[in-house]
């Protein structure tokens, strides 16, 4: 841990601004309120002091965005004080013709520059059963008279957002920050050196749920030795350092921005390099020892 403290102290820093829009679940996905909710995110962003990276949470923009859109419309864009700023936000996107056969919907993180030019997009890979897709929907749709929606389409592979030659952001969406192998592949395959989680835990209301999500997500920072910046709709927006410590957080159900200097670390942990090999090896060894001991017990003379 002392070594990690030293690495954190000597690491490059990135100025970020996390926007917690605080749009309650009853106000989300209402077509009448969608622009009002968007404008709320824009107002919060205007209070930030020129961070290099501004991040909005999952589904912050409640309008369906074409998957191959080259430039974000001006009415969606916040106003940045610095033309060098970058922007990551969550939205539903689609390919094909909206509402027509063959259309595919995605839960997406978009990456733009300060002028709104879309530089990258990442579609959520691990979808939530019954929330984002219906298991066995293709089979159930064969039953006469029972229509089933397709739900979201999972994305292909980890994709990081490159701010510069030395900064690559892994945009984990929703519960993907609870899955060790997903975060590990972002680091091992794309060389991401900052983990960002875009999520909306408003579904839990004023319960322990958002805090449990944060507590479990902290392990991703420990496993990969990367800073984890969680940007949420109603909380808990927080900064977790590479030791898994919660350095900074916003109160639940507050409309606010959280400026934060994040550490950019580039080391490679044993877990990033080898995954669950060690854990599986110990499990197999333990089972073998137990079976050997049991066999000896059974064969022992009475």
């Amino acid at each position: 841990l002392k070594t990690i403290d030293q690495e954190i102290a000597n690491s490059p820093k990135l100025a970020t601004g996390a926007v917690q829009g605080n749009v309650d679940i009853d106000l989300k996905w209402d077509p009448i309120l969608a622009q009002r909710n968007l404008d709320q995110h824009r107002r919060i962003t205007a209070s930030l002091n020129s961070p290099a990276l501004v991040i909005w949470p999952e589904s912050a923009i409640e309008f369906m965005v074409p998957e191959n859109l080259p430039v974000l419309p001006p009415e969606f864009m916040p106003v940045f004080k610095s033309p060098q700023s970058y922007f990551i936000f969550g939205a539903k996107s689609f390919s094909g013709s909206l509402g027509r056969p063959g259309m595919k919907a995605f839960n997406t993180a978009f990456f733009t520059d300060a002028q709104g030019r879309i530089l990258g997009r990442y579609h959520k890979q691990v979808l939530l059963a019954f929330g984002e897709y219906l298991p066995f929907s293709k089979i159930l749709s064969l039953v006469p008279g029972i229509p089933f929606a397709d739900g979201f389409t999972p994305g292909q592979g980890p994709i990081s957002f490159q701010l510069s030659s030395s900064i690559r952001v892994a945009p984990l969406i929703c519960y993907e920050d609870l899955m060790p192998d997903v975060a590990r592949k972002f680091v091992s395959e794309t060389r991401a050196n900052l983990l960002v989680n875009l999520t909306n835990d408003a579904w839990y209301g004023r319960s322990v749920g958002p805090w449990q999500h944060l507590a479990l997500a902290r392990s991703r920072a420990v496993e990969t030795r990367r800073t984890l910046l969680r940007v949420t709709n109603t909380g808990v927006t927080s900064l977790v350092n590479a030791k898994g410590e919660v350095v900074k957080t916003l109160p639940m159900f507050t409309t606010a921005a959280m400026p934060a200097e994040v550490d950019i670390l580039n080391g490679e942990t044993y877990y990033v390099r080898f995954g669950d090999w060690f854990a599986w090896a110990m499990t197999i060894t333990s089972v073998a020892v137990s079976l050997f001991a049991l066999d000896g017990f059974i064969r022992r003379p009475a």
Side-chain angles (χ1 to χ4, degrees), residues 23-280:
V23 180
D24 209 341
I25 198 63
D26 296 331
L27 306 177
K28 201 83 172 161
W29 303 117
D30 185 331
I32 299 174
L33 299 176
Q35 189 61 50
R36 167 195 169 275
N37 296 340
L38 174 59
D39 290 341
Q40 183 158 294
H41 285 81
R42 297 172 72 183
R43 283 194 299 272
I44 302 168
T45 304
S47 68
L48 290 165
N49 187 23
S50 304
L53 176 63
V54 172
I55 309 166
W56 290 2
E58 178 187 19
S59 66
I61 292 181
E62 298 170 40
F63 301 96
M64 290 289 283
V65 179
E67 195 269 345
N68 59 353
L69 193 70
V71 180
L72 199 63
E75 60 268 23
F76 289 176
M77 280 293 295
V79 176
F80 294 106
K81 295 176 182 176
S82 168
Q84 306 303 318
S85 294
Y86 290 97
F87 179 38
I88 296 175
F89 68 91
K92 289 181 180 179
S93 69
F94 69 95
S95 64
S97 299
L98 193 59
R100 297 291 183 87
M103 186 202 87
K104 292 183 178 180
F106 306 94
N107 187 349
T108 305
F110 284 92
F111 174 49
T112 83
D113 61 15
Q115 291 72 45
R117 290 175 295 205
I118 295 177
L119 307 176
R121 57 188 61 76
Y122 164 72
H123 302 315
K124 185 181 179 186
Q125 299 175 77
V126 185
L127 301 178
L128 185 65
F130 300 104
E132 293 175 315
Y133 77 99
L134 182 66
F136 311 112
S137 61
K138 292 190 182 299
I139 297 174
L140 294 173
S141 64
L142 300 176
V143 179
I146 303 180
F148 286 94
D150 288 337
F152 287 102
T153 299
Q156 299 296 317
I159 297 171
S160 65
F161 298 151
Q162 191 154 347
L163 274 69
S164 68
S165 59
S166 59
I167 300 177
R168 294 169 296 279
V169 179
L172 303 163
I173 299 176
C174 193
Y175 281 121
E176 289 184 329
D177 67 344
L178 301 186
M179 300 170 184
D181 198 50
V182 173
R184 183 181 76 85
K185 287 181 177 178
F186 264 106
V187 176
S188 64
E189 295 181 15
T190 74
R191 316 308 299 170
N193 46 18
L194 171 62
L195 304 180
V196 167
N197 175 227
L198 283 64
T199 191
N200 175 21
D201 287 344
W203 315 95
Y204 289 117
R206 299 180 183 276
S207 72
V208 73
W211 295 100
Q212 289 176 326
H213 191 174
L214 169 61
L216 293 168
R218 289 167 60 189
S219 294
R220 306 295 82 76
V222 175
E223 292 160 354
T224 61
R225 291 303 179 203
R226 295 290 188 268
T227 304
L228 169 63
L229 179 59
R230 301 188 68 246
V231 186
T232 72
N233 173 23
T234 55
V236 184
T237 295
S238 49
L239 175 64
V240 181
N241 70 14
K243 296 193 296 181
E245 299 168 337
V246 179
V247 176
K248 199 171 187 179
T249 188
L250 287 177
M252 288 280 292
F253 292 98
T254 57
T255 304
M258 186 182 77
E261 294 278 334
V262 303
D263 310 306
I264 303 299
L265 299 171
N266 288 291
E268 190 175 66
T269 64
Y270 185 95
Y271 181 70
V272 167
R273 201 173 295 146
F274 300 108
D276 292 318
W277 179 89
F278 179 79
W280 280 114

Side-chain angles (χ1 to χ4, degrees), residues 7-19:
E7 290 176 3
I8 289 174
N10 296 333
S11 67
K13 312 298 179 187
L14 177 70
T16 65
V19 173

